[in-house]
Amino acid sequence: MSKAAVSDAIDEPSVAVHPLGQRILIIDDEAGIRDSLETLLTLEGFRVDLAGDGVAGLDQLTRNAYDLMLLDLALPGESGIDLLPRIKALVPDLPVIMITAYGTVGNVVDAIRAGASNFVQKPWDNEKLLADIRIAIGKNRAEQEVVHLKRTLKQRVSFENIVGKSEPMLRLFDLVAQVAPSRSTVLIQGESGTGKELIAKAIHAHSPRRDKPFIPVNTGAVPSDLLESTLFGHERGAFTSAVAAKKGLFEVADGGTLFLDEIGTMRMDMQAKILRVLQDRRFMHVGGTQEIQVDIRIVAATNVNLEQAVKEGRFREDLFYRLNVISLELPPLRNRKEDIPLLANHYLKFYAEENGFPPPELSSEALRLMMDYEWPGNVRELENAMERGVVLSNGPTLSPDLLPQQLRGNTFSTALLEQRPDASLFDVIEDIERRIIADRLERCNWNQTEASEFFRIPLSTLNQKIKRLNIVLKKRGKE
């Protein structure tokens, strides 16, 4: 390896910076060298610390933060190259410039492999050394800023699987990060399908309770006569089917977070019992006589306007104010349409991986239809549309034909003719037939008998078409 090649490998484009009090550690066993470097760097505005050997240098490194290190190759005892791995173990990102009177190609290569940022030979040129130092510090600072930016963007663009980069979602991410560490009750409001449970999970994941249970319960889906037992538990014999004592979800969530979804549908008598738990963090089993105390955080969600429900006498005012300590509003998808391409690609990739397919790309026409659509079912509807597109796709592009009917209107697309120069009218008809059959199978939860009855054809005929058209069947019962 030539000296020119080594020089090319070392000299990378970087951004030089002004010192502004930056701190440099010099490790060199020659007092004259240390003094000369200290004078040069101090006059340039750097703060300088000195060490005469590796032991003293490592001690300084554990006690102070540095922007750069100047390290002599030939130190007493442990050489500079041998010392480098220990330096990098302590401060992996610290730029280290090696200084030596023995600037062989082998030494340079060994130093770079060990983690050195650059290599300077004695006697050095002051201006070049200063330039090398500023470039190394600037390059390191730029790299750290990029890492920080990537982490920030990753968190803000996909906050606990909540995909979005629109201004309403970025504001929501900031609020979640701000309220998560507290103990306060949170009320999440938004239309169905906007992702209220994902926000609740994000709050829990960023709270001190993250290692404790997160227990979701859809209070609107549990029958009213079972909800009290589900939440509070019961004693044996409390009612006919209570053959054994059972803990409720309040106990299961002890130390963690209980997510009460669709709380706006809860009966008035249950609202009063929930209010008492929020006030005292105490309750009794159904049929029990002893109070149980729990340490839980309540996060509630609703797609109902609770203020209106209070006015209409359908929701307790005192419970509303107990829940509404911190209120988060999830925007509907129609109010953040700039997130649609991001969400679509996210779900295309997810369901393609789940089904073992290569992810298709959205055609420009399909994306236009998606951007024009109002999405009454919000993110959940978009997710279902993308899963459908992945399953029905038989090519690299998701064309408008693969979108649900409500997005496409009543027109058939001839995208197949545009995608395949060899395609004929018969290919288009076959493609449309494939989509019609797959769409009906999906609507019938992949029940072939039901689909054959809908089409008024024998089951054997439908099975022949499924095989001929290469329709991928999904398992029944998948939500």
Side-chain angles (χ1 to χ4, degrees), residues 336-404:
R336 56 179 185 108
K337 287 194 172 182
E338 58 266 50
D339 289 334
I340 288 175
L342 197 67
L343 284 161
N345 287 321
H346 170 78
Y347 288 120
L348 285 175
K349 182 179 179 182
F350 176 83
Y351 285 108
E353 290 178 355
E354 186 179 75
N355 289 279
F357 302 153
E361 291 188 6
L362 275 174
S363 71
S364 58
E365 178 63 15
L367 181 58
R368 184 190 66 77
L369 291 173
M370 292 175 67
M371 296 296 287
D372 290 342
Y373 185 60
E374 288 300 297
W375 298 102
N378 291 295
V379 177
R380 187 183 296 128
E381 184 182 8
L382 184 146
E383 178 183 356
N384 292 341
M386 294 302 96
E387 181 181 10
R388 179 183 189 276
V390 167
V391 172
L392 300 183
S393 174
N394 61 351
T397 304
L398 196 157
S399 64
D401 304 69
L402 294 173
L403 296 176

Side-chain angles (χ1 to χ4, degrees), residues 228 232 267-278 282-283:
E228 183 176 4
F232 302 127
R267 289 184 333 213
M268 294 292 283
D269 60 327
M270 276 301 299
Q271 292 178 29
K273 294 173 181 178
I274 293 292
L275 176 63
R276 183 169 182 270
V277 180
L278 285 174
R282 295 174 184 273
F283 63 94

Side-chain angles (χ1 to χ4, degrees), residues 69 71 78-89 96 98 110-116:
M69 176 185 291
L71 177 64
E78 199 170 13
S79 72
I81 290 179
D82 292 337
L83 196 65
L84 257 177
R86 296 174 63 188
I87 293 169
K88 289 295 180 178
V96 178
M98 301 290 294
D110 290 344
I112 297 301
R113 285 176 176 170

Side-chain angles (χ1 to χ4, degrees), residues 214-236:
F214 173 85
I215 306 295
V217 54
N218 188 329
T219 59
V222 180
S224 298
D225 55 344
L226 294 179
L227 184 58
E228 183 176 4
S229 172
T230 299
L231 292 176
F232 302 127
H234 59 255
E235 296 295 332
R236 180 182 178 184

Side-chain angles (χ1 to χ4, degrees), residues 96-116:
V96 178
I97 295 179
M98 301 290 294
I99 299 180
T100 182
Y102 310 99
T104 65
V105 172
N107 285 340
V108 173
V109 172
D110 290 344
I112 297 301
R113 285 176 176 170

Side-chain angles (χ1 to χ4, degrees), residues 28-81:
D28 197 297
D29 61 324
E30 296 184 45
I33 297 292
R34 293 198 303 271
D35 292 343
S36 297
L37 287 172
E38 181 182 21
T39 301
L40 173 67
L41 297 177
T42 302
L43 289 173
E44 289 297 317
F46 291 101
R47 297 166 59 198
V48 180
D49 290 337
L50 306 173
D53 55 46
V55 174
L58 291 174
D59 180 62
Q60 292 265 45
L61 199 58
T62 58
R63 291 187 286 111
N64 302 304
Y66 293 99
D67 297 285
L68 181 131
M69 176 185 291
L70 293 173
L71 177 64
D72 187 23
L73 178 66
L75 292 172
E78 199 170 13
S79 72
I81 290 179

